[in-house]
Amino acid sequence: MGGGLGDNRTESGPDGDWIVRSVPGSQTTKNYRCPGCDHEIRPGVPHVVAWPADELGSASDRRHWHSGCWGARSRRGPTRRWS
């Protein structure tokens, strides 16, 4: 994957298999809303993008997560807005 973005990796969890990509803060230029905490991910903040492994990763399937929220999703899950 070019443009300074991290490589895609596959992660498995109780919620299924996911394709996950790390996004360095230097590559973020937009605000996103994390489904784990429902707070903004502001430009310049490193985070991860995840989508179901059985999808092609279209924009409607991808979710931007704070790295800590992604790591804790098995304990917390997405907020009501995203479930």
Side-chain angles (χ1 to χ4, degrees):
M1 175 110 314
L5 297 176
D7 290 331
N8 294 349
R9 63 187 181 275
T10 302
E11 293 187 14
S12 296
D15 55 351
D17 294 333
W18 297 86
I19 305 296
V20 181
R21 178 185 307 147
S22 295
V23 181
S26 62
Q27 295 296 315
T28 61
T29 59
K30 294 175 30 179
N31 284 322
Y32 297 100
R33 185 150 308 267
C34 175
C37 66
D38 201 33
H39 291 177
E40 281 188 350
I41 302 171
R42 296 180 185 251
V45 174
H47 61 281
V48 299
V49 179
W51 61 91
D54 59 350
E55 301 293 331
L56 296 177
S58 71
S60 64
D61 298 321
R62 293 187 299 238
R63 297 290 178 264
H64 294 253
W65 292 72
H66 291 109
S67 299
C69 292
W70 175 253
R73 76 189 187 288
S74 65
R75 295 187 308 272
R76 297 191 323 197
T79 60
R80 285 190 186 130
R81 176 180 180 165
W82 299 98
S83 49

